[in-house]
Amino acid sequence: MGLFGAYYIASVQKVAVVESTLSPEEDELDIRDFYDYTMETDENEKTTGSPWMLRLNIGDRYGRDIQVHARMSEDYVNIRKGMPCASILLSTDKNFHILSGLTDFYIPDARCCVGDYPYLDKFNFGRILDEEGLLQVFDQEDQQWMEDEVDDDDDDDGTEKEIVENMQAVEDQG
């Protein structure tokens, strides 16, 4: 018996900030309200002793979905619905009927890896995905979201421009 690994290529279905992993959906906060968030100034941690948590719903085009939580970080403020992402699933079953674990999620459009511990080196993982031709799968996930969102043009809130501005602000601070 060994441990098997497989790429999981998907996209962000929903992104929110919550007080705890047990918070109900109606208590989810919009991540855009956290544009100036820093771990050092986490107000939730100061008042309750627990930091804000990022909640990601991830899904692929085959209907396989997973919800993950991680301690909120300033690295996550640019994550948006529809962004492609990748992880490595682990299983002792070569058919992956039972999952044994997964790595953090690499989200290249937001320039981050989401997880409580950085298992992935995002630069090397991105290079490996490129070498394996899996970045084309990202493009397919992007295309799927674009097709799904075509009828949703009335909901344009300038998100792409906002992400670029936030990334520039973070780079200027560093």
Side-chain angles (χ1 to χ4, degrees):
M1 177 165 34
L3 191 61
F4 300 91
Y7 294 113
Y8 177 58
I9 308 292
S11 58
V12 176
Q13 306 288 310
K14 183 166 78 168
V15 57
V17 178
V18 292
E19 194 169 311
S20 83
T21 58
L22 301 176
S23 296
E25 187 173 355
E26 59 266 12
D27 291 344
E28 293 177 347
L29 303 170
D30 190 324
I31 194 160
R32 291 176 291 191
D33 295 336
F34 287 77
Y35 69 93
D36 60 350
Y37 174 87
T38 65
M39 292 171 73
E40 290 95 29
T41 61
D42 188 315
E43 292 298 322
N44 200 55
E45 188 169 26
K46 288 178 181 175
T47 57
T48 68
S50 297
W52 288 110
M53 300 295 292
L54 178 75
R55 175 178 288 166
L56 284 180
N57 290 2
I58 306 288
D60 68 12
R61 64 185 123 163
Y62 303 106
R64 298 174 293 198
D65 301 321
I66 187 168
Q67 184 179 84
V68 295
H69 292 91
R71 184 191 200 283
M72 183 60 186
S73 167
E74 51 269 20
D75 294 340
Y76 305 157
V77 298
N78 292 313
I79 299 172
R80 297 293 182 268
K81 178 180 176 181
M83 287 184 168
C85 57
S87 183
I88 298 175
L89 301 177
L90 304 170
S91 178
T92 55
D93 173 27
K94 67 180 179 180
N95 295 316
F96 287 83
H97 292 294
I98 298 171
L99 294 180
S100 301
L102 70 145
T103 65
D104 37 341
F105 278 90
Y106 172 56
I107 307 176
D109 291 352
R111 299 183 186 160
C112 69
C113 284
V114 174
D116 287 332
Y117 184 81
Y119 294 103
L120 296 174
D121 176 325
K122 64 183 174 186
F123 301 109
N124 282 327
F125 190 58
R127 181 184 53 76
I128 291 167
L129 291 174
D130 187 30
E131 288 173 0
E132 297 288 328
L134 292 173
L135 290 182
Q136 294 172 359
V137 178
F138 276 167
D139 292 340
Q140 293 169 359
E141 286 292 329
D142 272 342
Q143 185 63 35
Q144 181 71 35
W145 269 100
M146 286 183 171
E147 290 170 7
D148 290 347
E149 297 288 323
V150 164
D151 296 329
D152 217 10
D153 288 342
D154 296 335
D155 196 26
D156 183 18
D157 58 1
T159 301
E160 188 171 325
K161 180 180 176 195
E162 175 186 319
I163 291 169
V164 171
E165 290 171 355
N166 284 345
M167 285 182 179
Q168 289 172 340
V170 169
E171 288 173 358
D172 291 344
Q173 290 175 3

